[in-house]
Amino acid sequence: MHAPSLATLLLFAAALSTLPLRDRSAHLVAAADQQVPSSPMAPWDPVERLGHVTVGGQRLVDALSPLLSTYTFTLPETALKAGIAVTGASARLRRVVQRAMEGRGRQLKVGFIGGSITWGDAASKHGETDWVSLVSAWLPKAFPGINVTTRNGAIPGTPSAYMVMCMENSVDEDVDLLFMEYLLNDGFKDTISHNPRTATYERLVRRAMLMKRQPAVVMVQVLSHGQALEPGTVGLVGGGDEYRPYYVTLEDVYSGIAHYYDLQALSFRAATYRLAKFKHAPGFAYPDLMEAYEMKLHPADGGHKVIADLVVGLIQSTAQDLLLRPWGPADEEASSEQLPPPMRVGNEVPGSPMCFTGERLQALVASGGAPTGQAGGFAWANDSTEKKPKWGFIATSPGAMLKVVLDTLRPGNEGSVLVGLAYLKSYEHMGRVEVACVSGCKCAPAMIDARHEIKHSQTYQAMQEVSQSERCVISVTVDAESSSGEHKFKRVSGEYKFKLNGVTTSDVAAPERLAHTNTGGWHVDMFESRPGYRPQNTSTAHV
């Protein structure tokens, strides 16, 4: 017989504290008889692990069946606990799980947003072995008494800045539970106090939490660039070492946002780093968990299963906590509290963000005088696959010009309006464009280079202050010169503008707001160099 762990004894102590004194000895005997895995790496089953636990005279596994009995974990138990990195009070998540456990015909809407990892990139069977599909398949089994619907709104190659603008295109307004994965695509910025990445991420968190049903929001934190590599790995850019140590990531500063807003954070790094780097555990080395591509940016099937394990583990542990600490008035009050002020002064969510993609983008360009689907040398096309489409206006020759028409008028407000251009940035076949306000409004003209040295393609965003006008015409013209010698430029997500009515002062590009976003002049962040490593800043973070 194996002695129970301290964590197990604490679990029993919390449960026993609610029982009459005369009943506690029998429960303590059950605790001593509980079998624990003989090795931290031994397979484990939560039903067997908790089979002797009773709460209020009922076996815990019976009270939570089938939530505990319908999933098989790959992660060792200690790694699972490590990966459930931030739980906090879990006020909103407790409400979601409580209602799901009550059943009785309730509906549970779950959303997923992020980049290629959440979309399912590098999974062998998209729709089956990616983490979103694994979780989506498990939820109806865990909560058979309710109607569970899931929506994967991830857009490959996009940072959190994109979703601040375009969340309405990817998330149902009445979502109950939302998972967010942006750590990889948000890149890295080696600062805490003045970090535009965290400013943008906080606005995304606030926008999500302010949705109709006050959803629970969970951060899914994956590995950052180079963390799955070994020291001495020759990079694709400049031949330097691409390895990045444990601390070169936005995860730790993003975790501060989780603490401030009582979000939950799941950490792929915390769950796997010891297994992969120190213990060299079979099946958990990063070559086993990550894609075969030499940079190992995306999880393969093994890595997707790790993320699914963390999600399931979080929901199961929340359900167990609800048995030990039943839902009450304090929970109701905490879960419905108004949001605190932003961590960063003035870092409010845009009051009425607008996102023009697809047909809406085509309509903007058509209003510029060109037939739908073409615009002075730009053509509306999908330059990816049918399965993973990436539509946009594409031009491949110098002099091609696209015009969009926006209403930037904000009655009752003075000052400029922020307009953003989202575009594809890649390492080959890309050109430069000149952007200018040509009619009705004023802005500083600028050149945007769609080429970079990093060996992958991603959506970037250029921002500018534009004067107010009922009809503001902005042109995008492919330049005769390019840093790659070619002229491909792709507008992938369209113009960003604020809504015509209901716009607050904070939605105008006031100087105090621009002070912490470093926005202006169609500004695009480039990666910075620091001694010892090269941060992979793969996105701008300004909205």
Side-chain angles (χ1 to χ4, degrees), residues 44-69:
W44 69 286
D45 179 353
V47 174
E48 295 180 2
R49 189 81 166 88
L50 303 172
H52 297 277
V53 180
T54 61
V55 179
Q58 183 181 20
R59 290 204 319 158
L60 183 145
V61 295
D62 293 333
L64 297 182
S65 180
L67 194 149
L68 297 180
S69 62

Side-chain angles (χ1 to χ4, degrees), residues 259-395:
H259 291 298
Y260 187 79
Y261 289 101
D262 188 28
L263 308 187
Q264 290 62 62
L266 305 176
S267 174
F268 191 99
R269 179 184 62 161
T272 62
Y273 206 84
R274 289 177 179 271
L275 296 174
K277 296 283 189 177
F278 307 144
K279 295 185 177 181
H280 305 290
F284 291 100
Y286 284 138
D288 299 321
L289 297 179
M290 308 300 285
E291 62 185 342
Y293 170 59
E294 58 187 304
M295 293 303 294
K296 294 180 171 48
L297 297 176
H298 302 96
D301 284 357
H304 278 283
K305 183 59 166 59
V306 166
I307 300 175
D309 280 5
L310 295 175
V311 172
V312 173
L314 174 66
I315 294 175
Q316 288 186 350
S317 63
T318 303
Q320 294 172 40
D321 183 57
L322 281 163
L323 289 186
L324 300 177
R325 297 190 304 114
W327 181 265
D331 292 287
E332 194 68 49
E333 179 181 354
S335 66
S336 58
E337 284 181 352
Q338 292 186 347
L339 291 189
M343 288 176 60
R344 294 169 176 266
V345 176
N347 196 33
E348 296 285 357
V349 177
S352 302
M354 294 291 289
C355 181
F356 297 93
T357 60
E359 293 181 354
R360 298 179 70 189
L361 173 58
Q362 295 181 68
L364 281 183
V365 173
S367 67
T372 301
Q374 63 184 28
F378 281 81
W380 180 253
N382 172 23
D383 63 350
S384 185
T385 64
E386 183 178 351
K387 181 180 180 181
K388 190 179 179 181
K390 296 180 179 180
W391 287 91
F393 279 104
I394 300 174

Side-chain angles (χ1 to χ4, degrees), residues 188 223-249 269 273-274 276-278 280 286-287 294-297 530-536:
F188 181 70
L223 294 180
S224 190
H225 294 262
Q227 290 188 317
L229 303 177
E230 294 298 323
T233 302
V234 176
L236 299 176
V237 180
D241 187 355
E242 290 293 327
Y243 163 76
R244 303 290 175 265
Y246 188 88
Y247 55 84
V248 180
T249 174
R269 179 184 62 161
Y273 206 84
R274 289 177 179 271
K277 296 283 189 177
F278 307 144
H280 305 290
Y286 284 138
E294 58 187 304
M295 293 303 294
K296 294 180 171 48
L297 297 176
R530 291 283 190 275
Y533 62 86
R534 180 175 60 77
Q536 304 275 351

Side-chain angles (χ1 to χ4, degrees), residues 15 104 190:
R104 299 195 302 273
D190 191 21

Side-chain angles (χ1 to χ4, degrees), residues 391-539:
W391 287 91
F393 279 104
I394 300 174
T396 57
S397 59
M401 183 173 66
L402 173 148
K403 291 183 180 180
V404 295
V405 178
L406 299 170
D407 184 347
T408 60
L409 192 62
R410 302 293 182 265
N413 289 279
E414 297 182 357
S416 301
V417 173
L418 281 178
V419 172
L421 300 179
Y423 64 98
L424 180 67
K425 200 173 185 74
S426 190
Y427 55 94
E428 60 182 355
H429 310 309
M430 309 305 293
R432 300 189 306 178
V433 295
E434 182 180 9
V435 183
C437 294
V438 295
S439 176
C441 56
K442 296 179 180 180
C443 64
M447 194 73 69
I448 299 175
D449 195 340
R451 180 179 179 271
H452 60 187
E453 297 291 336
I454 305 171
K455 297 295 182 178
H456 64 265
S457 303
Q458 188 172 359
T459 301
Y460 273 57
Q461 183 177 217
M463 302 296 295
Q464 175 61 304
E465 295 177 69
V466 176
S467 65
Q468 295 191 36
S469 171
E470 188 174 1
R471 182 178 171 83
C472 175
V473 182
I474 299 175
S475 66
V476 179
T477 306
V478 178
D479 190 53
E481 301 293 333
S482 74
S483 56
S484 63
E486 299 175 86
H487 305 282
K488 180 181 178 184
F489 186 87
K490 180 184 178 185
R491 287 278 315 291
V492 293
S493 71
E495 289 296 326
Y496 169 80
K497 74 169 186 180
F498 294 108
K499 198 174 182 178
L500 299 179
N501 56 342
V503 178
T504 64
T505 303
S506 63
D507 288 326
V508 176
E512 59 268 20
R513 183 179 179 199
L514 295 177
H516 65 76
T517 57
N518 297 321
T519 311
W522 300 106
H523 174 79
V524 179
D525 272 354
M526 300 301 291
F527 63 81
E528 301 177 9
S529 296
R530 291 283 190 275
Y533 62 86
R534 180 175 60 77
Q536 304 275 351
N537 281 356
T538 56
S539 64

